[in-house]
Amino acid sequence: MKLCCLNCFSSDSGTVDRTRRAHEKIGIYELKNGNFSAKFTNWGASLVSLIVPDKNGQLADVVLGYDSVKDYIKSSSPFGAIVGRVANRIKDAQFTLNGNLYKLVANEGHNTIHGGSRGFSRVAWRVSGYKKEGAVPYIQFSYRSFDGEQGFPGDLIVSVTYVLVGHDTMTVTMKARALNKPTPVNLAQHTYWNLGGHNSGDILSHEIQIFGSHITPVNLELIPTGKIVPVTRTPYDFLKPHTIGSRIKDLPNGYDINYVLNGGKGNKVKRAAVVHHKKSGRVLELTTNAPGLQFYTSNWKKNFKGKGGHIYKPHAGLCLETQGFPDAVNHPNFPSQIVRKGKPYSHSMQIKFSTTRSSA
C-alpha cells in the first residue's frame, strides 16, 4: 500500500466552500488494534483494506481495492466508499418532494445511481477526527454537500465514523443533518468483501445467510417495481445458509437485490447477514439499524486491476450494503428517506469477524 497524498481535482466552481473542498489533501490513514488493522482514504471516505486472521492465524486483506489514492480517484467503481446522497437507484433521475420536482444527474442510462456522477464516493472528505491506535482506534470523515449538488435540494452535513472495537469488530456510523431544506438521504458503505483474501478468486464458495424474508423486486433496469415479495422458493432465499454458487446459476446476471430485513420497523438493531468461508474459516457477521440490505455479487463484465496487480474478475467480491430501500423517493409504501432540519439521519453497522475450524 502506497502511503501517498495529493491534491484532488474538482469540476465544481463557485462558492468558497466548494473551492476549499477541491483542495482537500487525499491520503491513506491506518487504524490498528493488535493484528486487526484497517486502512482508509478520505477520497469517498473509503475502506481500503481490512486485515484479519484465518483459522490458522494467517493474516489476509479481505477487502478488494487499489494500491494508491490515484487509483481510487481514477476508478469508476466505488470500492469501499460511502455512496450517497442517495445510494442505489432513482428512477428517471427525478422525484417530487413537497410539490417540487427535482431533476438529478443521470449516470446510469436515464436513471441515477449512488448520488449521480459526482456523488459522495467521488469527492474529498475532511478528516475530522483520528486516533490510530489505543483501546478504541477510530477515524471520522465529514463532508458538506451544497444545495443543488447533483440536483438534490438543501445543504447537508454528513459524517462517517469507523471504529475498531477489540480485535475482531468494526463499527460504521453514518450521520447526516439537513441545514435548511428537506432532502432524501440514504447512505451506504460499498465495500467488496472476499473472506478468502482479496486476491483469492471468486466468492461463489462463500456460504451466506441473509435475515430477510422479503425482497423488493426490480425491472430490467434494476429499478424496484414497488412490490415487496417473499423469498421462499426462489434463488433469493438465504434464510438458511447456502453457498452463493449453488443458487447464482439461476440468476444469469448474478445478485443485485435489496432484502427487507426482519426485525421490525424503525431504527431497531437487527441481524442482517452471516458469511462463512470454509477454507479459511473466516466468518463475517453483520448487524444494522437500517431496514434493507443490498446483496451484490460484483457482476461486472470487465476485469479490474486491483491491489498488487491482481485481476478482479466477475464475482471477485460480495457487497453487503445496509441501506434504505432503493428508489424510496418514488414509492410511498417504502420507508421514508426524507431528512428534515431538526430530525437527523443516523445509520449504523457492526461487522464482526471470527473463525471456525470446520474444513472446506
Side-chain angles (χ1 to χ4, degrees):
M1 182 66 62
K2 301 175 184 177
L3 301 183
C4 56
C5 176
L6 67 158
N7 288 330
C8 77
F9 57 87
S10 175
S11 61
D12 295 329
S13 61
T15 68
V16 172
D17 186 56
R18 289 182 229 176
T19 301
R20 181 189 64 78
R21 289 202 310 271
H23 294 286
E24 289 281 4
K25 298 261 185 167
I26 314 299
I28 298 288
Y29 303 86
E30 184 177 27
L31 301 182
K32 193 169 179 61
N33 198 336
N35 287 332
F36 186 44
S37 65
K39 290 180 180 178
F40 306 85
T41 176
N42 57 312
W43 181 259
S46 305
L47 175 63
V48 170
S49 71
L50 191 68
I51 308 297
V52 293
D54 68 4
K55 62 187 178 184
N56 299 313
Q58 297 298 309
L59 299 176
D61 181 0
V62 296
V63 168
L64 275 62
Y66 298 112
D67 283 326
S68 75
V69 294
K70 289 182 179 179
D71 294 323
Y72 282 90
I73 291 172
K74 291 187 297 182
S75 176
S76 60
S77 180
F79 279 125
I82 298 296
V83 293
R85 179 177 302 195
V86 174
N88 222 301
R89 294 167 175 87
I90 295 178
K91 182 181 179 181
D92 295 328
Q94 64 181 27
F95 64 94
T96 299
L97 177 60
N98 294 339
N100 298 311
L101 177 65
Y102 293 97
K103 295 188 176 183
L104 311 175
V105 174
N107 61 323
E108 189 181 67
H110 54 88
N111 303 313
T112 294
I113 185 171
H114 296 334
S117 59
R118 197 152 171 78
F120 292 175
S121 64
R122 301 289 305 151
V123 297
W125 294 53
R126 182 170 64 91
V127 179
S128 47
Y130 179 42
K131 184 179 180 182
K132 180 178 178 178
E133 297 181 273
V136 186
Y138 78 94
I139 190 163
Q140 183 179 71
F141 300 109
S142 59
Y143 179 71
R144 179 164 177 159
S145 178
F146 58 87
D147 184 12
E149 185 169 24
Q150 298 294 290
F152 290 98
D155 295 295
L156 189 75
I157 293 177
V158 186
S159 70
V160 57
T161 306
Y162 296 95
V163 183
L164 298 190
V165 181
H167 300 288
D168 59 8
T169 301
M170 182 176 72
T171 64
V172 186
T173 305
M174 293 163 269
K175 295 185 176 183
R177 182 163 54 92
L179 300 184
N180 38 46
K181 299 178 183 179
T183 186
V185 178
N186 181 29
L187 306 179
Q189 212 293 327
H190 206 295
T191 290
Y192 291 78
W193 303 99
N194 187 320
L195 297 185
H198 79 95
N199 57 352
S200 64
D202 64 51
I203 45 78
L204 300 181
S205 66
H206 285 50
E207 189 177 79
I208 189 168
Q209 183 176 15
I210 298 176
F211 299 94
S213 56
H214 292 75
I215 57 169
T216 53
V218 295
N219 63 19
L220 293 177
E221 294 181 327
L222 299 178
I223 300 292
T225 63
K227 295 180 180 180
I228 296 175
V229 302
V231 298
T232 51
R233 293 187 293 276
T234 77
Y236 298 102
D237 186 352
F238 288 100
L239 289 169
K240 293 183 178 179
H242 297 280
T243 61
I244 296 170
S246 69
R247 306 210 154 185
I248 202 171
K249 59 187 178 183
D250 297 320
L251 299 170
N253 296 318
Y255 288 94
D256 194 358
I257 195 71
N258 172 65
Y259 283 79
V260 178
L261 294 176
N262 302 334
K265 297 180 180 180
N267 289 327
K268 293 181 181 179
V269 174
K270 57 191 78 73
R271 298 183 83 189
V274 176
V275 183
H276 180 206
H277 181 245
K278 288 187 178 180
K279 184 175 181 180
S280 68
R282 292 189 183 95
V283 178
L284 180 159
E285 298 178 71
L286 174 63
T287 58
T288 184
N289 69 342
L293 174 74
Q294 188 80 11
F295 176 43
Y296 176 58
T297 50
S298 54
N299 309 318
W300 51 64
K301 293 180 172 60
K302 65 176 182 178
N303 296 335
F304 286 86
K305 186 177 181 181
K307 299 172 187 174
H310 183 76
I311 302 300
Y312 297 144
K313 296 181 179 181
H315 311 312
L318 63 92
C319 294
L320 300 169
E321 303 161 67
T322 62
Q323 59 175 10
F325 298 176
D327 199 33
V329 288
N330 292 310
H331 296 286
N333 60 314
F334 287 178
S336 175
Q337 296 172 359
I338 304 304
V339 174
R340 293 176 169 84
K341 187 176 180 179
K343 294 186 177 181
Y345 167 96
S346 183
H347 172 189
S348 64
M349 304 168 62
Q350 178 177 283
I351 304 158
K352 182 175 181 179
F353 293 90
S354 59
T355 58
T356 176
R357 299 298 301 182
S358 63
S359 58

